[in-house]
Amino acid sequence: MESNLEKVLIVGIELPDDIIDIETSMDELQELVKAAEGVVVSRVIQKREKINSAYFIGKGKAFEIKNYCDELDIATVVFNDELTGAQIRNLETTINRKIVDRTNLILDIFASRARSNEGKLQVKLAQLKYRLPRLIGFRDYLSRTGGGIGTRGPGEQKLETDRRHILREIDNIEEQLKEVEKNRSVKRKKREDSSLPIVSLVGYTNAGKSTLLNKLIEFKDEKEEKKYVYVEDMLFATLDTSLRRSRLPNGQAFLISDTVGFVSKLPTRLIEAFKGTLEEVNYSDLLIHVVDASSKDLDIQLNTTMEILKDLEVLDKPIITVFNKMDKVDISNLIYDNKLVDNKIFVSARYDIGLDKLMKLIEELLPQKYKEVTLKIPFDEQGLVNYFMNNYEVKNIDYVEEGTLLEFAINQIDYEKYKTYMV
Ligand SMILES: Nc1nc2c(ncn2[C@@H]2O[C@H](COP(=O)(O)OP(=O)(O)OP(=O)(O)O)[C@@H](O)[C@H]2O)c(=O)[nH]1
Ligand SMILES: [Mg+2]
């Protein structure tokens, strides 16, 4: 298999005002290359005062890199930051290899992973918008290199390089996305009617969000079917939003959503494009911010997620910060900025540590306004009895002449709807 992987050299520059340690950032870039089905053969880091506007790195360094590529038989050079069209073209001419920047790499991964129609449209839109100002740098290598990293489109479509065509495509996709958006609001409306609270999992990619979702739906009744989501030790395993049902210890049913993970230097264009998918987060009642506690750069992970949440304007919602993978680290060794953390809890999703406590915390923090009621449901409305039995912890059930008496704590929305049944 190894021989099928595209051989890649990664290049980064270290600047005086870097927030992220360059080695850490390059490690992550290496993981991204892996996720794009490439293999990193070597890495080059250049320390600079500022970016070279023509070559990104120094021109001399570019020649050096060309030599490495010849020696090591490398096809593709991936840069740790976003490049301009001119930089791509100059680097390509000098190094004589395919040049891919971090943004394009991420777009490429998303392109090959997107499954839903909406996801594909979102990625395609982001790709076209990325390409538009860089066409000079792109035309050549698309024809020369024959595919691979940086050239993939969603659903195996070859990416267009003609300017007018791209502009038309952008309009076209934006129209289609509006249509999809409309349909989604319909679905959301339906969900609102069902009045179940929504809890959203958010956080850095590979933190364990999907693993946690799979564990939290275990709390459902035995008889209900559990639809597990995809888990993989790889960046961006999840792209599409999934929604599942679970149940709190108090019996209250709720919906839990899993969505795309974040990464540092995530292209803003991509966040823009994914705002539709991430909008789910806007409609949730509680956020669970999952962090990989064993990561070397906890603060970067915490910060990246918090910045994006701020961008999505959802910081007013209650947040539980879940430090996951505690099976790998000692609590006393954790170093992080407490200002980035709310309602923290330490768990291991994989080894079932702390999950009962987490459920209790969700129950506590999920804003819910309940009222103790007794409803009398006429016998010809058995469906309603089933609904309450399925969604609430019914404390008492009694049969009288005119119907079924149910005693339980009802939520605000259902209360308004069914208060005529109150006795
Ligand atoms: N050791 C350990 N590994 C875990 C734990 N939870 C998840 N993992 C592993 O971490 C990797 C990533 O897990 P996922 O659940 O796919 O992570 P995610 O946050 O959904 O990632 P993306 O979908 O890529 O954003 C998998 O290999 C999991 O098995 C844990 O508690 N302990
Ligand atoms: Mg996932």
Side-chain angles (χ1 to χ4, degrees), residues 284-302:
S284 35
D285 302 281
L286 173 86
L287 306 179
I288 297 185
H289 175 181
V290 186
V291 209
D292 178 350
S294 70
S295 127
K296 274 185 293 179
D297 35 271
L298 265 178
D299 275 347
I300 292 164
Q301 296 209 2
L302 285 164

Side-chain angles (χ1 to χ4, degrees), residues 182-227:
K182 240 190 270 161
N183 288 334
R184 203 149 35 82
S185 336
V186 172
K187 265 195 224 151
R188 187 175 306 125
K189 182 77 187 54
K190 279 195 191 132
R191 238 178 2 252
E192 270 167 21
D193 287 346
S194 94
S195 78
L196 294 184
I198 303 179
V199 173
S200 281
L201 294 163
V202 292
Y204 215 75
T205 180
N206 216 41
K209 298 177 295 299
S210 301
T211 308
L212 188 61
L213 178 136
N214 286 340
K215 287 295 164 71
L216 295 187
I217 61 176
E218 291 284 349
F219 287 79
K220 287 206 326 185
D221 290 350
E222 281 307 317
K223 57 182 190 298
E224 289 178 65
E225 187 203 356
K226 298 175 186 71
K227 275 166 66 191

